[in-house]
Amino acid sequence: MPQYRAPVKDSKFVIDHVVGLDRYANVPGFQAATPDLVEAVLEEGGKFASEVLFPLNQIGDKIGCTRNADATVTTPPGFKDAFDQYVGAGWTTLHGPEEFGGQGMPMIVATAFNEYVLSANQAFEMYHGLTSGAVASILTKGSQEQKDKYVPKMVAGDWTGTMNLTEPHCGTDLGLIKTRAVPQADGSYAITGTKIFISAGEHDLSENIIHLVLAKTPGAPESSKGISLFIVPKLMVNDDGSLGDRNAVTCGSIEHKMGIHGNATCVMNYDGATGFMVGEENKGLAAMFIMMNAARLGVGLQGLAQAEVAYQNAVHYANDRRQGRALTGPKEPNEKADTLFVHPDVRRMLMEAKANTEGLRALCLWGSLLVDLAHNAPTEVERQDADDLVSLLTPVIKGYGTDKGFETTVNCQQVYGGHGYIEEWGMEQYVRDARIAQIYEGTNGIQAMDLVGRKLALNGGRAIQLFFKVVSEDIAAAEGDEKLAVLAAALKRALGELQAATMWLMQNGMTNPNNVGAAAYSYMHLTGIVVVGMMWLRMGQAAQNLLAAGSEDTKYLEAKLVTARFFAERVMPDAGALRRKIEGGSETLMALDPEMFAVA
Ligand SMILES: Cc1cc2nc3c(=O)[nH]c(=O)nc-3n(C[C@H](O)[C@H](O)[C@H](O)COP(=O)(O)OP(=O)(O)OC[C@H]3O[C@@H](n4cnc5c(N)ncnc54)[C@H](O)[C@@H]3O)c2cc1C
């Protein structure tokens, strides 16, 4: 049976000593987040995740969701009760704005907690997971009436939110959307069309579901410039806030899929459903992007979360399972064999897993701090800088984070040998569940194009220049420190590769746009190595400071220093290979005609 324990200590190490949350006490909402309170929240949240949600993970995977004859959807056994407990304990309100019933805690705290929920049960998390993004869209672009009507119930968890972009013929290219929104005399719109792959599109957990739907009004331009955003409630909401009639939106079927079986992925049919426009006509994509950016960071966290639970189990297994002898001679001569832990190749998989999970945790938590700072930092310069950095790094957190998350689940499955392939051990579920994160919310290829095709050049390259400056300052601060010099030198080399690759793109991208497309994926990974490398340098620095200050937690802190060096010596060198791939250009990628791919 798999097991899971929330890594509260590691989250707290990052929050207190790497990010240093107390440095931001001047940011609204941060004062209340004292170290003691944050610890209490995370301890309690971790307990809830491991004791209530984790035991439902395998059941959810096995039994999945059922669409009933009346088009309702029944979630797996135990989900409804767990959701009631989740809402009852106020977990959905953690980061919600106080004026709409939320606790107003910094996003970094909610992110740490969400990681635990996702590790324990990703399919469960996704029922409420998209709601905070939907709330952000309504708060930013919606009318006051829409905010008052929908947001408090969504923050409370009484209602959940969905995002409806994808249609059978259009996923990445949203300009092709066919769903129509016809204006009605009362100011509402009649929404007609079919959306597919809608996560949590229908379920029995909450009283109501608020769908955020992209559709086109009559005469709108036939491109992404002609898309508007609509609120379409499952049950109509009366002026006094009570629930009214069923709206004309139904679940047509549930997809049978590779993983996250406990989450209902629905085909949603809109048959003249009543919808209300959010923001301006034809500006819907920008409004939806507020939700999508939040969701992209959340999906990056899914990569980390699946990697973490897989890693924890692989460590247990490697300690228990005995096969073969250490290359240097038997470690435990009285036993018939040594544990898997003695084998360097098993160590390789476990160290990569450790370096990836702890590095990505630090990155996701820092990214969520940047989101808060982008909105609430006291000065315009701080807000702008944070916004630039988080915009640049969102595709990296999503794309690199989920690639490394998936790779980690596969490595941890490999630690089990054949047992990793057998259902009862639980490892193959983590591989299957982690896989989707590379695909939805814009595939990782699209994240790479967002980074290279859009974010790099934005505002004359302001964000990437700022990123270079931030990394360079960290390197400079560490270079003189004997114990950190190895990390600083490795990061300096990796940063140099990224800067050279950026220069190459500037020189070769304009003349041949295929060079940009061909370079994008490697560039995203190269940026990922540099930013996670920076987080490892920061973690190394923090560990060393604590040791120097006399901390007695020596094993944990020394493990940080060793893992930082592992990342520097065994992951960062990939930066050079990625740069060379980028500089290889697009010629061989694009040379063959499609018919030349056919089997000879
Ligand atoms: C389980 C699950 C849950 C989902 N949940 C939701 C949801 O809640 N709401 C929602 O709206 N959607 C949802 N989706 C849809 C998901 O976001 C899309 O599947 C995804 O964005 C890709 O779209 P597509 O499947 O149509 O692939 P396509 O757009 O057809 O892409 C196919 C391939 O071509 C590549 N490609 C396409 N265009 C380009 C380009 N311009 N440049 C480079 N490469 C390109 C893609 O990267 C991909 O590899 C979900 C999907 C799944 C499987």
Side-chain angles (χ1 to χ4, degrees):
M1 282 288 279
Q3 36 191 307
Y4 172 68
R5 198 162 58 82
V8 175
K9 180 174 169 176
D10 206 53
S11 312
K12 279 282 290 168
F13 168 75
V14 175
I15 293 172
D16 291 345
H17 304 295
V18 180
V19 165
L21 197 58
D22 55 355
R23 286 205 298 266
Y24 302 96
N26 57 349
V27 178
F30 280 47
Q31 268 155 343
T34 59
D36 287 350
L37 181 71
V38 172
E39 182 158 354
V41 168
L42 296 187
E43 286 290 355
E44 203 50 42
K47 216 163 115 202
F48 182 80
S50 58
E51 291 178 6
V52 179
L53 303 180
F54 187 63
L56 301 175
N57 197 36
Q58 281 186 303
I59 300 168
D61 183 54
K62 263 198 179 58
I63 298 181
C65 299
T66 315
R67 179 185 176 276
N68 307 304
D70 62 355
T72 58
V73 167
T74 304
T75 51
F79 272 42
K80 172 71 181 142
D81 180 49
F83 195 79
D84 289 346
Q85 290 185 53
Y86 185 66
V87 171
W91 289 117
T92 63
T93 66
L94 213 51
H95 177 56
E98 283 173 293
E99 59 175 310
F100 293 99
Q103 298 179 48
M105 290 284 269
M107 186 173 164
I108 191 169
V109 181
T111 299
F113 167 68
N114 280 344
E115 182 207 317
Y116 310 157
V117 177
L118 283 164
S119 282
N121 197 326
Q122 179 171 326
F124 176 91
E125 195 276 348
M126 289 172 61
Y127 283 104
H128 193 262
L130 287 166
T131 309
S132 52
V135 163
S137 287
I138 297 173
L139 286 178
T140 314
K141 299 287 179 181
S143 65
Q144 191 58 44
E145 189 202 341
Q146 288 170 339
K147 292 177 197 171
D148 294 339
K149 199 167 196 172
Y150 300 104
V151 172
K153 288 281 191 185
M154 293 170 83
V155 168
D158 296 333
W159 303 349
T160 56
T162 69
M163 56 194 291
N164 288 239
L165 293 80
T166 310
E167 300 182 5
H169 62 286
C170 105
T172 304
D173 188 355
L174 293 169
L176 302 174
I177 274 177
K178 284 185 183 161
T179 298
R180 296 288 142 188
V182 179
Q184 305 296 292
D186 63 359
S188 69
Y189 289 77
I191 313 285
T192 303
T194 300
K195 296 287 179 180
I196 63 165
F197 300 162
I198 305 307
S199 297
E202 175 64 41
H203 58 81
D204 55 2
L205 301 184
S206 60
E207 290 168 1
N208 202 3
I209 303 174
I210 308 303
H211 302 290
L212 287 192
V213 183
L214 290 183
K216 289 192 169 177
T217 51
E222 287 298 324
S223 70
S224 59
K225 293 199 170 75
I227 300 175
S228 302
L229 179 66
F230 299 87
I231 289 174
V232 184
K234 169 180 161 182
L235 297 173
M236 298 305 293
V237 182
N238 299 320
D239 288 340
D240 64 0
S242 60
L243 294 179
D245 295 339
R246 187 87 168 74
N247 203 353
V249 47
T250 47
C251 168
S253 63
I254 303 180
E255 305 292 352
H256 299 274
K257 56 191 191 289
M258 177 177 174
I260 52 166
H261 293 157
N263 193 268
T265 307
C266 302
V267 172
M268 299 302 296
N269 295 323
Y270 292 83
D271 298 311
T274 303
F276 307 95
M277 190 180 282
V278 180
E280 288 175 55
E281 191 169 2
N282 297 334
K283 299 271 170 64
L285 209 50
M288 188 58 114
F289 252 103
I290 296 166
M291 182 166 184
M292 283 157 72
N293 278 330
R296 284 174 178 182
L297 291 173
V299 173
L301 196 64
Q302 293 180 354
L304 156 65
Q306 292 310 300
E308 171 67 27
V309 65
Y311 166 68
Q312 287 188 16
N313 283 284
V315 169
H316 287 300
Y317 193 80
N319 262 320
D320 287 346
R321 177 82 169 166
R322 291 182 180 277
Q323 292 291 300
R325 287 300 189 186
L327 294 174
T328 49
K331 270 268 179 300
E332 294 176 89
N334 295 335
E335 300 285 348
K336 285 193 174 147
D338 287 332
T339 66
L340 295 182
F341 249 110
V342 304
H343 303 301
D345 191 58
V346 173
R347 291 287 186 127
R348 169 187 64 79
M349 295 185 275
L350 292 174
M351 282 304 291
E352 279 182 16
K354 185 169 169 60
N356 281 337
T357 49
E358 293 176 19
L360 289 174
R361 176 170 302 115
L363 176 60
C364 288
L365 291 172
W366 182 56
S368 61
L369 173 83
L370 292 174
V371 174
D372 274 336
L373 294 182
H375 290 117
N376 297 321
T379 68
E380 174 58 31
V381 175
E382 287 169 287
R383 287 194 295 275
Q384 185 67 71
D385 282 358
D387 192 53
D388 280 351
L389 285 175
V390 78
S391 304
L392 180 82
L393 294 175
T394 294
V396 180
I397 292 174
K398 197 282 184 183
Y400 180 77
T402 60
D403 279 358
K404 289 291 150 187
F406 177 71
E407 184 185 302
T408 302
T409 60
V410 172
N411 270 339
C412 292
Q413 180 190 37
Q414 190 79 7
V415 169
Y416 279 67
H419 299 273
Y421 202 71
I422 304 300
E423 275 180 26
E424 69 172 283
W425 290 95
M427 298 305 282
E428 54 85 46
Q429 184 186 348
Y430 303 139
V431 173
R432 287 187 287 105
D433 286 359
R435 181 70 180 92
I436 185 58
Q438 297 171 295
I439 296 173
Y440 58 19
E441 245 3 286
T443 61
N444 285 359
I446 295 304
Q447 302 303 320
M449 283 305 290
D450 180 39
L451 173 66
V452 177
R454 232 170 61 79
K455 301 283 173 64
L456 271 192
L458 222 54
N459 303 309
R462 194 173 68 198
I464 191 75
Q465 293 306 332
L466 174 63
F467 178 62
F468 290 160
K469 181 166 162 272
V470 168
V471 184
S472 300
E473 283 170 1
D474 274 23
I475 294 168
E479 266 173 334
D481 185 325
E482 197 188 321
K483 291 209 174 114
L484 297 173
V486 176
L487 306 183
L491 185 56
K492 195 173 188 171
R493 271 194 301 278
L495 177 66
E497 306 288 11
L498 181 63
Q499 286 170 321
T502 309
M503 186 64 78
W504 186 91
L505 271 175
M506 281 163 60
Q507 286 161 354
N508 296 276
M510 295 286 253
T511 45
N512 181 0
N514 277 339
N515 282 334
V516 176
Y521 213 90
S522 298
Y523 190 92
M524 178 176 75
H525 272 248
L526 179 47
T527 313
I529 287 175
V530 171
V531 70
V532 174
M534 182 181 82
M535 299 320 300
W536 269 115
L537 181 59
R538 289 181 179 186
M539 286 194 279
Q541 176 91 67
Q544 197 174 292
N545 290 346
L546 287 166
L547 284 168
S551 168
E552 288 175 5
D553 203 359
T554 47
K555 283 207 163 159
Y556 172 77
L557 296 171
E558 277 163 10
K560 280 280 176 219
L561 286 167
V562 171
T563 314
R565 243 182 52 225
F566 175 88
F567 194 86
E569 289 170 5
R570 296 197 53 117
V571 180
M572 282 206 214
D574 290 348
L578 289 165
R579 172 190 164 187
R580 280 192 287 285
K581 275 193 195 183
I582 291 166
E583 293 178 354
S586 60
E587 202 184 317
T588 52
L589 266 185
M590 304 309 287
L592 300 188
D593 290 333
E595 65 266 23
M596 294 163 82
F597 283 83
V599 178

